[in-house]
């Protein structure tokens, strides 16, 4: 069940210009409400305890206590979705180990921020659906005399998606997808030697897929990590991703951190 409420966001960064830049970019997005801006961990922690947001945009390197310290001190709280925003890519592994939902590099790109917000919305919608299903299952269990409610896992993305093929609508299993490329106002889904058109944006598509399997490596490319053969150095920190079947796709610097997380680099 998709929520229609605005996404409540909190910003924590010790640099005022950085907070202002993120605030301005968030205001360009629809349905985002900024509920707090803080320049230190102590103030942010107090606000988290009083009124937790839906998503926390968190800098890492701050004086006195860093972003990881904030998460450590907030372990007793029900934390919101955490998106790290930093100029330092070397903290990525630790960030995702701390269960961050995303990791954005400064300077921020509006498109990358938009994609991150879509990921946050999808994550929150899945949590709400899972919680609702668990409550319903618990009521059913109580009704039949059982004392233990079933645990309902959060969905991990769609198993099948509808695509256009020869004038018809065809359903394909997402596990069979090799990669997805942008094409105007649509995307092209590559399945072996076949291609299928899907009239959605790249941001819409990545939100539909299992984030443990599918990763965006470029503004125009999403890959199935199970189909990645190897990465080859390309140019100025970029890589070429060699896929099963021989396709070569560019991994741009802006997405390198997220891909490295899933590849264990």
């Amino acid at each position: 069940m998709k929520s229609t409420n605005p996404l409540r966001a909190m910003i924590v960064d010790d640099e005022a210009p950085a907070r202002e830049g993120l605030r301005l970019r968030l205001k360009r997005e629809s349905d985002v409400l900024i509920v707090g801006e803080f320049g230190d961990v102590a103030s942010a922690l107090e606000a988290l305890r009083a009124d937790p947001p839906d998503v926390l945009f968190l800098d890492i390197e701050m004086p006195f206590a860093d972003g990881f310290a904030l998460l450590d001190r907030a372990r007793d709280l029900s934390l919101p979705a955490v998106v790290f925003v930093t100029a330092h890519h070397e903290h990525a592994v630790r960030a995702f180990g701390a269960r961050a939902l995303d990791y954005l590099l400064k300077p921020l790109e509006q498109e990358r921020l938009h994609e991150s917000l879509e990921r946050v919305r999808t994550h929150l919608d899945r949590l709400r659906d899972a919680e609702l299903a668990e409550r319903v299952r618990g009521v059913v269990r109580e009704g039949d005399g059982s004392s233990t409610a079933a645990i309902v896992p959060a969905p991990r993305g769609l198993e099948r998606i509808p695509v256009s093929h020869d004038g018809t609508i065809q359903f394909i299993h997402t596990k069979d997808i090799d990669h997805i490329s942008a094409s105007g106002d649509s995307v092209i889904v590559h399945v072996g030697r076949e291609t299928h058109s899907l009239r959605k944006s790249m941001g819409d598509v990545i939100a539909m897929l299992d984030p443990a399997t599918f990763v965006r490596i470029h503004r125009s490319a999403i890959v199935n990590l199970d189909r990645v053969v190897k990465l080859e150095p390309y140019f100025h920190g970029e890589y070429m991703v060699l896929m099963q079947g021989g396709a070569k796709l560019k991994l741009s610097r802006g997405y390198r951190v997220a891909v490295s997380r899933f590849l264990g680099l």
Side-chain angles (χ1 to χ4, degrees), residues 44-102:
L45 184 60
E46 184 177 347
L48 283 172
R49 293 185 185 280
D51 186 20
D54 297 315
V55 56
L56 174 64
F57 288 95
L58 181 60
D59 188 20
I60 292 181
E61 296 192 353
M62 295 183 285
F64 306 113
D66 63 15
F68 294 114
L70 172 58
L71 298 185
D72 187 59
R73 295 177 187 178
R75 281 182 299 178
D76 61 322
L77 304 178
S78 179
L79 278 174
V82 176
V83 176
F84 279 107
V85 184
T86 177
H88 307 279
H89 64 81
E90 62 267 23
H91 300 298
V93 173
R94 186 181 176 191
F96 287 117
R99 302 192 177 225
L101 193 64
D102 209 346

Side-chain angles (χ1 to χ4, degrees), residues 105-242:
L105 289 175
K106 301 175 183 177
L108 282 179
E109 296 180 356
Q110 190 71 36
E111 182 179 1
R112 183 70 178 88
L113 176 61
H114 178 79
E115 178 185 320
S116 187
L117 288 168
E118 287 300 305
R119 184 175 298 178
V120 169
R121 291 186 181 99
T122 300
H123 170 74
L124 294 176
D125 288 340
R126 288 174 178 171
L127 287 180
R128 293 185 188 103
D129 289 344
E131 290 169 0
L132 176 60
E134 187 171 349
R135 288 198 300 271
V136 172
R137 186 67 62 86
V139 170
V140 172
R141 291 279 181 171
E142 290 177 5
D144 65 16
S146 174
S147 60
T148 304
I151 298 176
V152 181
R156 296 296 296 170
L158 299 180
E159 293 185 358
R160 301 194 307 164
I161 59 173
V163 296
S164 176
H165 183 71
D166 292 336
T168 65
I169 300 298
Q170 177 178 337
F171 288 87
I172 60 175
H173 288 278
T174 53
K175 63 181 178 62
D176 295 329
I177 296 173
D178 297 314
H179 66 278
I180 300 169
S181 56
S183 177
D185 58 356
S186 303
V187 300
I188 304 299
V189 181
H190 299 259
V191 183
R193 297 184 177 180
E194 296 182 353
T195 60
H196 307 273
S197 176
L198 182 60
R199 198 170 184 81
K200 286 187 176 294
S201 69
M202 294 290 281
D204 291 336
V205 172
I206 194 65
M208 296 164 56
L209 300 171
D210 182 352
T213 304
F214 290 90
V215 176
R216 193 167 181 179
I217 64 170
H218 189 273
R219 62 187 303 173
S220 302
I222 297 168
V223 299
N224 181 341
L225 291 174
D226 292 336
R227 305 300 174 95
V228 173
V229 176
K230 65 179 178 179
L231 274 65
E232 299 176 345
Y234 180 56
F235 187 68
H236 284 320
E238 296 181 337
Y239 286 82
M240 295 303 294
V241 180
L242 179 62

Side-chain angles (χ1 to χ4, degrees), residues 238-258:
E238 296 181 337
Y239 286 82
M240 295 303 294
V241 180
L242 179 62
M243 307 294 297
Q244 291 180 14
K248 283 189 174 184
L249 307 169
K250 184 188 295 186
L251 166 58
S252 67
R253 294 181 62 188
Y255 295 92
R256 186 175 61 186
V257 169

